[in-house]
Structures are given as C-alpha cells and as structure tokens.
C-alpha cells in the first residue's frame, strides 16, 4: 500500500525511494582524464545498469516494511567530441545525432555527464532543457546527470575536482545522490572490495571464451563443482543402501533372537521334565527291578514321545532349522544339515530293549552303553555346564538323529542326548 | 567580490567575446530601473591554466530587478566563441524559461554585439512572467497584480518580485515596482543639469513591498532619478501618502501618480511664472537691471538710486513661486558690516499676493521700493516701515561721513521715530582718515 502511495507521490513510474550510485575507479578516472584534457567544457554519456534491491525490515514497532533501493552502476562512458554535437542552440536534442554517437550502446545509457570549469555546482539552464528531452527520447524515467566542476585558485596553486550526481526528474528540487567509488580510500584498513561492476572488456570476454571450457561445462557451471556433486551423490546412495541392509539384518536378527529365546524355554522345560522322569524312573526302579530295562523304554519312549512331540507342535521352530539356513549360522550348524525331522517315535511299550550292536545307538564302537552311562552323567553334567551350549548341542544331536536310528534303538535310549559336545552325525546316516 | 570597472572587465575577457560584453557593460540598461547599470563580477576562465592571455569566458552578471539584484552566471566557451552562452539563474533554481521564447538564443549570432544584451532582456521578461506566476500562492496579491495588469497605464511597465516563502513562518512577500506614467519632458532643462553622471531617462518608480500575503504590512517608496529629484526640490519635498490599510494598488498608485504629476506641473508653472516676473521687472526697471538668471529666472539684481543714494536690490524667487513670496534683499554699495560683507537687509514681508501677475508684482514692487507715493501720503507711517528708514539712515550716514550734518528737525524726527537699534561699522574710503562710527539711533 505504501508502495503505490510512494509511487503516486513521485509522480513518475519510479517506485523507489532511495537511490545510490557507484562508479568503478577506472571509469571515473577515464572521465576525469577526458575532461581535464579538454580545453573547454566537455560532455558525454554514462553507460551502465540499474538494479533494485529490496530490504525487508521487521521490528517490534511495526509489521515489516520494505525499502527499495535503486542502485545505479556506471560501467563505462561515451564522451562527445565537441559541444552541441547532439543538440542545437535552443537545446533541442537531435535524435539522429544522438544515435550516431551512441550507436548500439543506446540501451545501456543510464545518464549523462558534463564538465565545467570554475562554475557553480548547479544544473544550468541548457542542461535542464537537454535533460528533459533526453529523458523523453531515451525513455529512461530516472536519468541521472553527473556534473564535474573544476575549481582553481587564482594563482593556480590548488585545484579541486568536485563531482555531484543529480537526479533531476524528481518533483522536488534537484536531488543529489551520493556517488561511491569502490576501493577509493584507504584499503590498508578496509577490505579490498570486489566491485559488482562487471568487466565489459572485449579482450577479457574472448579469453574467457577460449579457455573457459577447461573449467566450465556447457551450462556455465564449473566442472569441479559438478564432480564434487557427483561424489556426494554417490556417497549418499551408498549410505542409503547400507541403511537398508542394516535394517534387514536387524530384522532377521530380531527374529532369530526370538527363536532362540523360545528354544531356550523349551530346553529348560525339557530338562525339568526329564529330571522328573528320572526321578520317577528311579523311584520305579527301586520298586520294580526286573522291569527296569523295559521301563525306561516305555518311559523313555513316552518321554521321547513326549519330548519329541514337543518340538513338532511348533513347526516354526523346525523350519528355519531344516530350510537352507542363512550362512551366518552356518558355523554352528553342521554343514550337511540333516534333513532329519523330528518325528514322534512309534515305539511301543515292550519293544525289545537290546539294540543290535551293528546298529549302534550312535557310535559303532559300542559306546552306546557308555552313552547310557554318559547320559546320566551327561544330565548331571548338563546341569553344571553352560546351559546354552550344552542344550544347544543336545538340540543339535537330537536333530541329527536319523530315522533309522530310531528304529534300531531297542534300549529306547534317546540318541539325542549325546554326552559330548560334538555334533556327530549318527552312525549309519 | 568587488565589481570590476567596465574597462578592467573588458580587458580580462577573451578577445572574441569582448564585443558582446562591451554592449552589456557600456550600454546595458535593462528593466525599469535604467539608472543603474549591469555589473559584472567573478570573471573566470573555462580553459586550462596553460592557456595564455586573457581568456575569461564566464562571469556573474548583476541585474537590478524590482528592487532586488539578480545574480546570474553566464557561461561561454572561449575556444568556441560563436556558441551561445549558458545560464545559471542563481537561487532561482525553479526558473526555467522556454527556449522557444528566447528569440536571440534560438538565432544566436555572435557577430552582433548587442545579441547578449537582447538575450538578457528576453530572459528578464520571462523571469518577470515566472515571478508573476508565483503570485498564485497568494490570492490577494494575485488580485493586485491582475487589476494593475488591466490598466494600460501600469500594466506594461511593471516588475514583480515574489519572495520566497519563509519556511519558518510561512510568510510570503512580494514587491511591485511600477513605473509611473508622469511626463517629465516639460521640466525646464536647467533644473536637471546638476548631476555629475549621465542621468539617463527621467523616471519615477513606485516600489510597494508587501511583507505578508494579506497585505497588512505594506511599505511604499518612491524612487526618482536624481535629476528629477533635484528638479522637484529634493527628497524632503516629496512625501507620498501611506498605503491605506485595506486599500489596493489600483487605487493607491493613481493617487501617487497624481500627486507627482501635480508637483511636476507646479514646478513647470513656477518656472513660467518666474520668467514672467523677471520679464516684468526688466520692463519696469529697464536700465536698473544689473544681472538676472536668464536660465532659471531665480534671481534678479537691480541697482537703484533714491535721492542720490545708490543701492542694490536682489530679488530671489523661490522654487514654488508664486506660492512662496520672493525675497528682496537690499544691499548698500557703500557700507560693510563688521564681518566684511556688504551691508544688506532682507525684506520678506511686503505687500504681495500670489494672484498678481508679473506686471502687477513689478509695479507694486516699484512702488514699494521707491516709496514715493507712500512718503507723501503718509508722512508718519513711512518711518515705521523699515524701507524708507533704511534710506534715511544711510542718507544720514553718508552725509555725516561726508561732513554734512542733518538738520535738527530731521534728526529729531529720526530720534522720535524710535528706530530700532543698529550698530554700524562704517568704513569709508572718501576720508583720508579711517573713521569708525558707532551710531545709536533710537
């Protein structure tokens, strides 16, 4: 709202409220050189560009206000060779002559300048007349006028070059704009500023064009930047992939962990049961000695049935064991994972309890008895040993037992319980 | 900077520009106030300091206008002297005349010396219009201006200066400078001759200053060219009436104009009257005329004799004769006063009337001086008048000094007449001895 109000006050299409101007050092010195070397008044045109900056300021007192700053940059100048070169005595501007002087740089004109010796720093009558016409002909609403005055003392001991930039198209009195020259000052205490004035030299442009392809690609972006960006992209991708892998493996681990926990529970349960069974057997053995051998079979068979049926209830537990296991667990499991499925042993009560020596319970060396003995000891041992490892081994050995072994076991001794910790493949398998 | 004399200015200016400046400096009179010339100051050069010789091509021109002095910068280029100049109008930054209105700028001819002067005149006209436009800020003053403009007597010879509004108090002031259309051509030339410089055109200017937009503080002032002022009797003789509060210029200015015209008429008439008077005296006293002012007819000297007593009569006619009575001065040719002057007596009160014509006045004066008629008709009264007494006194003294003595009867009469006291140091060359006579006649 205030924007348009300002524009109305201005009376022109210019909306800006503040103006600043800058001229590069070499342009300024060039203008001064041309001017000082002329033996009369001198004039010319200023070429450059105008850019607008908007500053939004927010404070507690009022909700944001935006300030527009019009910055005029003078890049170059076009001196006129003589006075009255594009206007006549009455101050009427001749457009033909103007075009002849400016040629194709007409669109870059942002103002004009005049150099006068020993006169006041004020726009003269003819300058005002010409300025109005130039504004109209060139179609620049905010055309500026730079006035140079060269004042010398009477004995020529001191000379002063004064310059003032006018903005005569404002309704008020001629408004003066401050003209800044970057780096004209004490640069030892200030930073050397890189001017935003672009280099309009033709030589510079041609060199850059020639050698630019080594540094820039076709879009004008530096090649290094693109390469670095590519590296960055690749790294990002890899990181993403690793993230996915980690995610997957974590999930697998989680599942297996659950399995492990469950199996542990099973093992403890089994141990408890087998301990109870032992007790009962012992109690029963104490009561019925001849049926000692048969009892264990039935009991064992029932036990094994019971035991064996346990795991079968949980098919999920079997699956990962029987399927092609992930290579991670390959070390713990035997390479030739048996396809033995824990089946309930269809062993009836009263089955011959003598196992054929050829069909050993496990080893051909007749260590079956040993195994029996060891079973008892193994049980005891189990309790002492690390639960995980021994149970694990027992679990493995249980799984390893081939179906043929189950048939041949007369004693009914479960071949699952191996005393040693090795995962042996059952004999005859 | 002090203004430069024309010659100095011309010597410093670039040779090609000299003719242009010459006409400005020597003949430059612009505006209503032609008595003061254009002045040039601050001569500077637009060339490098390496340029030799006189090469000044820019200066400040002081132009009198409406009671103010405008200081305009004029900028030439010595390298290109055929090009027209540029102007900076001093403090009037808003003044921007239309170039098409300036004929001498559009068709500038550096070969014509008066081109610059004409251009300055054209610019001044435009400046006047610009000032008139500024009067729009005050409706009252605009009315004043409008009313004056319509009057053909004043409309074309007017200069207006509209002062800048005072930013503190918001005041607006203006000054009107009007040339009064009074005809001074009939003023006798003798009146205008006593001026050292070339008086130029005889002009009367009325300056009216309005210190505020409501015309409550108005200060009028009359400016006359020096010769006119002298002809009319000096600045003390002219008092214009104060501006009536609530009045307006269109009423006041003609009033002042009339007043001035009347005065001028009176002066002219006075001259003619004096001339008539002198002529009449000449015809009456014929051979007794010693000398008279044949140009201004202000003085006349007669040498008369009464009963072998010769004396001089000086007649001084004042400026506003016949309103003012002429002064008669009687002077003895024999006697000196103590200060070494010829004894004289001034006589102002004698029968006189301004309505008499020259002849009548001469006749009456003759009667009075000779007093022959009065002496016979009123033997007593003539002693009471100082004129016959004057004669008697000197007659007595001359006779006394010559060795004559008055008869007792005459002396008695003199003594009885109670003639006022007079001390005389009479020195006569007739006697061989130096005689100092103190006579008390009472």
């Amino acid at each position: 709202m205030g924007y348009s109000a300002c524009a109305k006050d201005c009376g022109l299409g210019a909306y800006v409220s503040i103006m600043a101007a800058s001229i590069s050092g070499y342009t300024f010195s060039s203008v001064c050189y041309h001017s000082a070397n002329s033996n009369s008044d001198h004039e010319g045109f200023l070429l450059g560009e105008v850019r607008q900056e908007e500053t939004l300021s927010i404070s507690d007192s009022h909700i944001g206000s935006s300030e527009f700053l019009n910055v005029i940059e003078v890049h170059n100048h076009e001196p006129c060779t003589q006075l009255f070169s594009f206007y006549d005595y009455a101050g009427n501007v001749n457009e033909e002559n103007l075009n002849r002087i400016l040629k194709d740089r007409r669109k870059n004109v942002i103002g004009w300048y005049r150099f006068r010796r020993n006169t006041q720093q004020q726009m003269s009558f003819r300058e005002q007349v010409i300025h109005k016409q130039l504004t109209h002909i060139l179609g620049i609403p905010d055309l500026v006028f730079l006035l140079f005055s060269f004042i010398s003392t009477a004995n020529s001991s001191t000379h002063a070059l004064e310059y003032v930039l006018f903005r005569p198209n404002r309704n008020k009195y001629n408004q003066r704009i401050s003209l800044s020259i970057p780096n004209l000052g004490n640069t030892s205490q200030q930073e050397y500023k890189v001017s935003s004035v672009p280099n309009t030299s033709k030589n510079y442009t041609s060199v850059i064009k020639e050698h630019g392809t080594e540094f820039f690609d076709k879009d004008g972006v530096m090649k290094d930047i693109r390469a670095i960006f590519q590296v960055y992209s690749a790294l990002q991708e890899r990181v993403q992939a690793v993230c996915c892998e980690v995610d997957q493996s974590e999930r697998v681990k989680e599942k297996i962990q659950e399995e492990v926990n469950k199996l542990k529970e099973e093992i403890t349960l089994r141990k408890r049961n087998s301990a109870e069974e032992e007790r009962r057997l012992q109690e029963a053995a104490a009561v019925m000695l001849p049926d000692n051998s048969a009892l264990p079979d039935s009991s064992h068979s029932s036990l094994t049935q019971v035991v064996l049926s346990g795991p079968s209830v949980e098919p999920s537990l079997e699956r990962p064991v029987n399927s092609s296991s992930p290579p991670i667990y390959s070390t713990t499991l035997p390479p030739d994972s048996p396809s033995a499925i824990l089946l309930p042993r269809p062993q009836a009560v009263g089955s011959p309890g003598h196992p054929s020596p050829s069909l050993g319970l496990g080893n051909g060396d007749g260590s079956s008895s040993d195994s029996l003995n060891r079973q008892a000891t193994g049980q005891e041992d189990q309790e002492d040993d690390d639960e995980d490892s021994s149970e694990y081994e027992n679990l493995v050995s249980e799984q390893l037992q081939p179906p043929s072994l189950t048939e041949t076991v007369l004693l009914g001794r479960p071949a699952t319980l191996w005393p040693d910790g090795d995962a042996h493949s059952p004999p005859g398998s | 900077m002090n203004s430069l004399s024309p010659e100095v200015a011309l010597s410093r200016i670039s040779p090609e520009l000299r003719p242009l400046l010459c006409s400005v400096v020597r003949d430059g009179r612009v505006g209503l106030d032609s008595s003061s010339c254009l002045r040039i100051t601050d001569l500077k050069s637009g060339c490098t300091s390496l340029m030799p010789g006189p090469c000044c091509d820019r200066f400040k021109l002081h132009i009198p206008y409406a009671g103010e002095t405008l200081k305009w910068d004029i900028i030439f280029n010595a390298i290109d002297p055929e090009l027209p100049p540029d102007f900076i109008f001093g403090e009037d930054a808003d003044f921007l005349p239309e170039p098409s209105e300036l004929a001498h700028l559009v068709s500038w001819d550096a070969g014509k010396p008066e081109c610059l002067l004409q251009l300055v005149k054209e610019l001044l006209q435009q400046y006047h219009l610009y000032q008139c436009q500024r009067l729009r800020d005050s409706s009252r003053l605009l009315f004043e201006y409008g009313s004056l403009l319509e009057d053909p007597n004043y409309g074309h010879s007017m200069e207006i200066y509209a002062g800048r509004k005072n930013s503190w108090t918001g005041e607006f002031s203006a000054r009107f400078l009007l040339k009064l259309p009074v005809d001074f051509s009939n003023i006798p030339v003798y009146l205008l001759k006593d001026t050292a410089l070339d008086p130029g055109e005889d002009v009367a200017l009325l300056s009216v200053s309005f210190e505020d937009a409501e015309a409550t503080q108005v200060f009028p002032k009359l400016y006359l060219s020096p010769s006119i002022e002298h002809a009319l009797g000096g600045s003390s003789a002219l008092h214009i009436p104060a501006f009536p509060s609530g009045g307006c210029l269109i009423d006041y200015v003609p009033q002042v104009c009339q007043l001035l015209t009347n005065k001028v008429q009176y002066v002219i008439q006075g001259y003619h009257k004096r001339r008539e008077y002198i002529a009449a005296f000449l015809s009456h006293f014929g051979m007794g005329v010693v000398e008279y002012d044949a140009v201004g007819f202000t003085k006349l000297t007669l040498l008369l004799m009464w009963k072998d007593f010769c004396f001089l009569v000086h007649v001084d006619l004042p400026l506003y004769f016949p309103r003012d009575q002429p002064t008669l001065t009687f002077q003895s040719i024999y006697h000196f006063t103590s200060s070494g002057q010829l004894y004289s007596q001034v006589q102002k009160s004698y029968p006189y009337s301004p309505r008499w014509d020259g002849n009548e006045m001469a006749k009456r004066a003759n009667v009075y001086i000779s007093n022959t008629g009065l002496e016979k008709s009123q033997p007593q009264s003539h002693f009471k008048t100082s004129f016959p007494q004057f004669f008697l006194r000197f007659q007595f003294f001359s006779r006394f000094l010559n060795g004559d003595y008055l008869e007792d009867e005459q002396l008695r009469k003199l003594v009885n007449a109670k003639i006022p006291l007079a001390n005389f140091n009479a020195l006569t060359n007739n006697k061989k001895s130096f005689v100092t006579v103190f006579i008390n006649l009472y």
Side-chain angles (χ1 to χ4, degrees), chain B residues 79-116:
Chain B
I79 298 297
D80 300 308
E82 71 278 1
L83 296 174
D86 202 356
F87 296 86
I88 296 179
F89 300 115
E91 291 169 358
D92 296 304
D94 288 344
F95 173 49
L96 196 65
E98 186 59 47
S100 52
E101 301 286 332
L102 306 167
H104 279 85
L105 179 66
V106 174
S107 49
W108 171 263
D109 183 3
K112 277 199 267 183
E114 70 277 4
C115 209
L116 180 62

Side-chain angles (χ1 to χ4, degrees), chain A residues 36 38-41 83-84 89-90 114 116-120 122 124-129 132 156 159 173, chain B residues 44-48 51 58 60 73 75 77 79 82-90 94 96-97 99 105:
Chain A
S38 72
N39 217 355
S40 66
D41 295 347
L83 296 169
F84 289 86
Y89 289 174
R114 206 136 192 282
R116 290 194 244 119
R117 284 193 179 86
N118 294 317
T119 53
Q120 288 189 52
Q122 209 176 323
S124 75
F125 161 58
R126 189 172 294 122
E127 282 158 13
Q128 290 187 52
V129 170
K132 278 205 170 86
S156 299
H159 306 274
Y173 297 108
Chain B
K44 297 271 169 68
S45 173
C47 310
T48 61
M51 190 83 165
R58 44 205 63 181
K60 216 187 259 294
D73 287 302
I75 302 166
N77 272 288
I79 298 297
E82 71 278 1
L83 296 174
D86 202 356
F87 296 86
I88 296 179
F89 300 115
D94 288 344
L96 196 65
L105 179 66

Side-chain angles (χ1 to χ4, degrees), chain A residues 371-384:
Chain A
S371 67
L372 268 172
N373 293 332
R374 280 188 207 147
Q375 184 206 349
T377 55
Q379 262 189 341
E380 291 165 7
D381 287 341
Q382 269 177 1
E383 287 162 13
D384 297 335

Side-chain angles (χ1 to χ4, degrees), chain B residues 224-361:
Chain B
L224 299 168
S225 44
S227 54
I228 299 290
E229 197 173 322
H230 177 80
L232 296 179
S235 56
S236 56
L238 291 157
H239 292 287
I240 52 172
F243 193 86
S245 63
C248 48
L249 281 175
I250 196 65
D251 299 323
Y252 178 73
V253 172
Q255 199 181 346
V256 173
C257 208
Q258 191 59 47
L259 183 74
L260 195 59
T261 310
N262 290 345
K263 271 219 162 75
V264 168
Q265 284 302 315
Y266 212 83
V267 167
I268 293 171
Q269 277 175 15
Y271 168 78
H272 287 296
K273 280 279 185 183
R274 286 198 303 276
R275 209 167 132 182
E276 198 189 324
Y277 180 94
I278 299 284
F281 266 69
L282 289 177
S283 70
H284 267 86
F285 293 97
M287 299 300 288
V289 173
V290 175
E291 61 179 7
Y292 71 96
D293 179 4
V295 177
F297 304 105
T298 52
K299 287 172 83 69
L300 175 68
T301 305
L302 302 165
L303 177 67
L304 301 172
M305 192 170 76
W306 186 68
K307 293 183 181 173
D308 303 325
F309 183 74
C310 294
F311 59 96
L312 291 167
V313 178
H314 302 280
V315 182
D316 289 297
L317 296 159
L319 188 62
Y320 287 110
F321 175 83
R323 185 190 74 188
D324 300 338
Q325 192 171 352
T327 313
L328 297 176
T329 308
F330 294 91
Q331 199 174 52
S332 163
I333 61 172
Y334 310 107
H335 313 103
F336 293 93
T337 61
S338 56
S339 56
Q341 304 293 318
L342 281 174
Y343 175 74
S344 60
Q345 194 171 20
V346 178
Q347 189 57 252
K348 277 188 186 166
S349 54
Y350 56 89
Y352 172 83
S353 168
R355 286 188 298 279
W356 295 336
D357 66 347
N359 263 327
E360 183 67 28
M361 285 187 198

Side-chain angles (χ1 to χ4, degrees), chain A residues 232-252:
Chain A
Y232 163 76
S233 306
L235 283 170
Q236 280 288 98
E237 280 171 27
R238 295 291 161 80
V239 165
Q240 290 291 333
V242 165
C243 281
C244 292
E245 284 174 10
V246 165
D247 180 48
Q248 276 181 356
S249 64
E250 283 291 307
R251 284 187 204 281
V252 167

Side-chain angles (χ1 to χ4, degrees), chain A residues 13-309:
Chain A
Y15 321 114
V16 295
S17 56
I18 305 173
M19 206 182 216
S22 77
I23 184 170
S24 59
Y26 43 85
T27 306
F28 183 79
S29 61
S30 177
V31 173
C32 290
Y33 174 80
H34 271 112
S35 306
N37 276 324
S38 72
N39 217 355
S40 66
D41 295 347
H42 175 73
E43 62 202 2
F45 293 93
L46 298 172
L47 311 168
E49 65 178 16
V50 180
R51 66 161 202 274
Q52 231 182 49
E53 289 178 1
E54 184 181 350
T55 314
L56 263 170
S57 58
I58 303 168
S59 72
D60 293 337
S61 59
H62 55 271
I63 310 166
S65 68
S66 68
E67 212 175 60
F68 288 92
L69 183 70
N70 222 20
V71 180
I72 291 175
E73 290 176 354
V74 180
H75 299 166
N76 212 340
H77 74 109
E78 183 70 54
C80 297
T81 48
Q82 55 189 5
L83 296 169
F84 289 86
S85 52
F86 60 96
Y87 52 91
D88 63 3
Y89 289 174
N92 298 318
V93 174
N94 186 326
E95 200 165 345
E96 276 179 32
N97 292 344
L98 190 69
N99 288 332
R100 197 171 343 112
I101 294 167
L102 293 174
K103 300 185 196 61
D104 56 343
R105 303 215 266 180
R106 181 173 157 153
K107 55 185 183 318
N108 295 333
V109 173
I110 51 154
W112 64 301
Y113 70 90
R114 206 136 192 282
F115 170 83
R116 290 194 244 119
R117 284 193 179 86
N118 294 317
T119 53
Q120 288 189 52
Q121 280 187 320
Q122 209 176 323
M123 281 188 83
S124 75
F125 161 58
R126 189 172 294 122
E127 282 158 13
Q128 290 187 52
V129 170
I130 290 171
H131 189 90
K132 278 205 170 86
Q133 297 194 37
L134 280 177
T135 305
H136 178 68
I137 289 173
L138 294 171
I140 303 166
D142 239 343
L143 195 73
V144 294
F145 174 69
L146 180 58
L147 177 65
F148 284 94
S149 312
F150 198 82
I151 317 280
S152 311
T153 52
N155 54 358
S156 299
S157 59
T158 311
H159 306 274
L161 177 71
E162 296 168 354
Y163 55 95
V164 180
L165 189 65
F166 289 96
R167 194 185 183 190
N169 292 334
R170 307 293 281 169
N171 280 348
K172 299 242 184 254
Y173 297 108
N174 291 346
Q175 201 183 46
R176 301 182 178 202
I177 316 165
S178 62
L179 182 67
S180 68
I181 303 170
N183 300 317
L184 185 71
N186 192 354
T187 51
S188 64
Q189 289 171 5
Q190 301 164 20
E191 232 176 46
Y192 190 84
K193 291 182 194 117
V194 175
S195 169
S196 59
V197 175
N199 195 331
T200 53
S201 158
K202 289 200 180 89
N203 290 329
Y204 175 82
T205 321
S206 64
V207 165
I208 289 295
K209 208 184 264 187
E210 201 182 309
H211 296 277
T213 49
E214 295 170 22
F215 302 94
F216 296 91
D217 62 9
K218 56 176 171 40
D219 296 331
V221 180
M222 280 191 77
K223 286 181 179 172
D224 296 340
I225 292 173
R226 224 178 255 286
I228 290 167
F229 197 76
Q230 281 170 2
V231 167
Y232 163 76
S233 306
L235 283 170
Q236 280 288 98
E237 280 171 27
R238 295 291 161 80
V239 165
Q240 290 291 333
V242 165
C243 281
C244 292
E245 284 174 10
V246 165
D247 180 48
Q248 276 181 356
S249 64
E250 283 291 307
R251 284 187 204 281
V252 167
K253 178 186 161 231
E254 195 183 316
K255 280 185 187 144
I256 291 180
Q257 191 70 32
E258 280 176 30
E259 274 182 33
V260 164
N261 291 340
K262 285 207 177 86
L263 288 173
K264 275 189 198 169
E265 282 171 21
E266 259 187 42
I267 287 163
T268 44
L269 190 62
R270 247 193 230 175
K271 275 188 191 167
R272 223 180 302 129
N273 292 341
S274 67
E276 279 181 23
E277 187 70 26
E278 242 334 286
R279 226 185 11 251
R280 272 206 301 273
L281 278 173
Q282 280 175 0
E283 285 168 8
V287 174
M288 300 180 317
L289 273 169
D291 294 325
N292 200 12
S293 60
L295 265 169
D297 288 331
S298 60
S299 64
H300 278 297
S301 62
S302 63
L303 180 65
T304 54
Q305 271 182 354
V306 170
V307 173
L308 285 170
S309 63

